Amino acid sequence: MSKSFKFISVIIALLMIAVLFSGCTKSNSTSASSDTIKVGALFELTGGVATFGTSSYNGAKLYIDEINKNGGVLGKKIVLLKADNKSQTDESINQATKLIQQDKVIAILGPVTSTDVKAASSVAMQNHIPLITGSATAVDVTVDPITKKVKNEIFRACFIDPYQGSVMAQFAAEKLNAKTAVVYIDNKSDYSKGLAQSFKEQFEKLGGKVIDTEAYVAGDQDFKAALTKIKGLNPDVIFVPGYYQETGKITKQARDMGITATFLGGDGWDSPDLVKIAGESALNNVYFSNHFINTDPDKTVQDFKKKYTETYGVEPDAMAALAYDSAGMLVQAIKDANSTEPAKIIEALSKLKNFKGVTGTITINSDHNPVKSAVIIELKDGKQNFVEKVASQ
């Protein structure tokens, strides 16, 4: 009897300690979250599109730092937790999982590319955490391609591929009077294939003809075989909807081979490394669509440019501006929801209207895409020049 009683007493004591420990842990967690809001910053900081990721992280951080200097949001400071997906889909999943399950973030900003966003968003959706990408333009980032249902947790600050592709097709047909085009795509990139499809549809609708489609894979170094074929076809324009690492090499090799046709692209061309890769002389007679150009005289743009340049020592590109706007969208949604609960933030994001960003005034539509304008940029000796702004759809 005495031994049994002692044994039971020990068990009860251990249970009480466990309960007290659990209570302390919960209390510490509540205390830690009472004056901070954890937000994940998941970007391609190394790997194939590292300049995109670095610009994006810097843009997001600039906005969050400004908010914190002004007292935060809802009386809380935002803690931006930096994560590198190394420009890889599997690492996008790993880092999203860590941010949500271990770091307990209430939202994720990023990644940059459509492929990486779709990988990370699978984790965000499973855990009902909002994810806002600044730059992933593939249609199926926010809408399931099979069910056609909107992905409840996923939003973006950029316009989508069909818009970019059709804008460049219209520019080629109406402003450049192009009649023939060759499309040269990254065959493993959702981004590249999406722009190519919409370009072809719109270009041929306007009376042009896509006379050939060639393909490469990210990481390729030698493009001469395909370029030799393209040279023989002598198209008016060559549409290369890829990222700067490859488009820079393609343009340089094309010019070295004597190809003088106009090159067209999308926002993937916008990187300070493009000139380093292609050289200034190769980057003439080149046009691409983008979300932003820092020579826009709009006061919001110029204020942002000044702050970014003073902070980082370089002028902002579109990726920096889009990530800055993504962070702004998140903060606005937290204010509108008057809550840091992910479900309420998601609801507020879906109703976001007339948010004044540096890339334009943003209203989120039923597909979780922003209604906004695009700009056409011309490269002259590697320097960007504003051509025109295309009204939102």
Side-chain angles (χ1 to χ4, degrees), residues 29-287:
S29 175
T30 302
S31 174
S33 63
S34 65
D35 58 356
T36 60
I37 302 170
K38 292 182 179 180
V39 173
L42 176 53
F43 295 110
E44 292 83 339
L45 301 174
T46 56
V49 290
T51 69
F52 287 169
T54 300
S55 291
S56 296
Y57 175 75
N58 288 345
K61 187 175 186 298
L62 182 63
Y63 191 93
I64 297 304
D65 286 348
E66 290 172 8
I67 291 297
N68 285 338
K69 285 177 184 177
N70 291 313
V73 58
L74 304 187
K76 302 178 182 182
K77 295 295 181 69
I78 297 175
V79 177
L80 197 63
L81 299 179
K82 187 177 185 180
D84 179 14
N85 65 18
K86 303 176 183 178
S87 303
Q88 298 171 5
T89 55
D90 57 347
E91 198 60 23
S92 295
I93 294 171
N94 293 339
Q95 291 301 318
T97 301
K98 178 183 179 296
L99 286 169
I100 293 170
Q101 295 185 359
Q102 293 185 31
D103 298 325
K104 306 298 183 184
V105 300
I106 56 100
I108 290 177
L109 300 175
V112 170
T113 70
S114 297
T115 304
D116 290 340
V117 169
K118 283 187 282 186
S121 65
S122 63
V123 182
M125 292 168 66
Q126 288 170 5
N127 291 274
H128 305 295
I129 295 294
L131 180 150
I132 310 173
T133 173
S135 50
T137 52
V139 174
D140 57 355
V141 163
T142 60
V143 178
D144 188 291
I146 299 173
T147 66
K148 306 302 180 184
K149 290 183 178 180
V150 176
K151 299 177 182 178
N152 185 59
E153 293 81 3
I154 314 305
F155 300 83
R156 60 177 134 209
C158 56
F159 46 67
I160 60 177
D161 288 343
Y163 185 44
Q164 274 202 93
S166 63
V167 161
M168 292 312 297
Q170 187 168 336
F171 179 76
E174 297 181 356
K175 299 300 174 69
L176 302 178
N177 297 314
K179 304 299 181 185
T180 59
V182 167
V183 175
Y184 195 9
I185 64 170
D186 178 348
N187 209 29
K188 289 189 176 180
S189 166
D190 295 327
Y191 163 82
S192 188
K193 291 185 286 187
L195 264 73
Q197 180 180 346
S198 57
F199 176 90
K200 183 177 187 297
E201 290 173 358
Q202 182 68 7
F203 188 65
E204 294 186 341
K205 185 184 295 183
L206 294 171
K209 185 176 181 181
V210 174
I211 56 178
D212 186 35
T213 298
E214 296 295 323
Y216 65 91
V217 175
D220 285 352
Q221 301 295 318
D222 189 345
F223 304 91
K224 294 185 181 66
L227 289 173
T228 298
K229 183 179 179 182
I230 292 171
K231 183 178 181 180
L233 294 170
N234 193 31
D236 294 327
V237 296
I238 304 170
F239 184 52
V240 190
Y243 297 123
Y244 65 93
Q245 291 281 15
E246 286 74 38
T247 63
K249 295 183 182 74
I250 289 169
T251 309
K252 175 174 173 50
Q253 291 176 29
R255 299 309 190 210
D256 289 345
M257 293 169 62
I259 296 174
T260 58
T262 302
F263 272 89
L264 305 176
D267 57 340
W269 285 66
D270 184 30
S271 169
D273 279 7
L274 181 70
V275 179
K276 298 176 186 176
I277 295 167
E280 292 181 359
S281 61
L283 295 174
N284 285 302
N285 199 21
V286 174
Y287 299 87

Side-chain angles (χ1 to χ4, degrees), residues 363-391:
T363 292
I364 295 298
N365 67 17
S366 59
D367 288 336
H368 289 187
N369 300 323
V371 180
K372 61 193 296 191
S373 300
V375 297
I376 304 294
I377 295 172
E378 179 184 10
L379 291 175
K380 290 183 178 179
D381 293 325
K383 293 182 173 60
Q384 294 189 11
N385 295 274
F386 174 80
V387 176
E388 65 180 14
K389 184 171 286 188
V390 181

